[in-house]
Amino acid sequence: MTSFTRIDQLVARLRTQLKRQNKSAESVQPGAVALERKAGIAAGANHPADLVKALHSAGVTDECVLVTCLVEGLLKREFGDEFSNESQFQQALGLIVETLRDNPETWSLCKECVAQALR
């Protein structure tokens, strides 16, 4: 049995949120995270947690900025870098983070993921 990490929980919540915002999201193919897990590939240097750690090491301490970095990394891994280059991606990212922040339970999970990344 594989463990279900906080990152996995956050990805599941992001998927749910995206499906609510866009009914066509159900047609999205399994993302990089799922494919890596099936192939048994360990998370690489561009893992979202590593991106958060690098940003924090550069002196960023604002939790909203760190959560945004985490969510951006998760979305890029899930849907691919080509999707994230679009200007609409940045708008969607802002809306997603704002929606996550509006739900105390989900925001707490986001903060826990950031805290875990910084350990």
Side-chain angles (χ1 to χ4, degrees):
M1 182 199 275
T2 60
S3 64
F4 194 67
T5 66
R6 287 185 178 112
I7 294 286
D8 294 326
Q9 291 174 337
L10 185 56
V11 168
R13 288 180 189 227
L14 287 171
R15 281 190 186 128
T16 300
Q17 182 61 35
L18 287 172
K19 285 180 183 178
R20 281 187 201 136
Q21 290 181 353
N22 185 358
K23 298 283 185 193
S24 67
E26 293 174 315
S27 66
V28 174
Q29 297 297 317
V33 174
L35 294 175
E36 285 178 0
R37 200 168 283 123
K38 285 180 188 175
I41 300 170
N46 63 347
H47 188 275
D50 293 335
L51 299 172
V52 170
K53 188 178 279 189
L55 190 60
H56 186 263
S57 295
V60 176
T61 58
D62 183 303
E63 80 178 10
C64 189
V65 173
L66 294 172
V67 168
T68 300
C69 177
L70 177 70
V71 171
E72 181 176 6
L74 291 170
L75 290 173
K76 284 181 179 180
R77 288 190 71 181
E78 201 58 28
F79 300 112
D81 286 332
E82 64 280 351
F83 172 72
S84 65
N85 291 332
E86 298 178 19
S87 62
Q88 292 176 344
F89 175 80
Q90 293 303 318
Q91 291 174 335
L93 177 61
L95 289 172
I96 290 168
V97 171
E98 185 177 314
T99 302
L100 293 173
R101 195 173 197 172
D102 288 343
N103 182 319
E105 183 181 336
T106 303
W107 191 250
S108 177
L109 177 60
C110 291
K111 294 189 309 185
E112 289 173 18
C113 289
V114 167
Q116 184 177 0
L118 298 177
R119 288 185 200 139

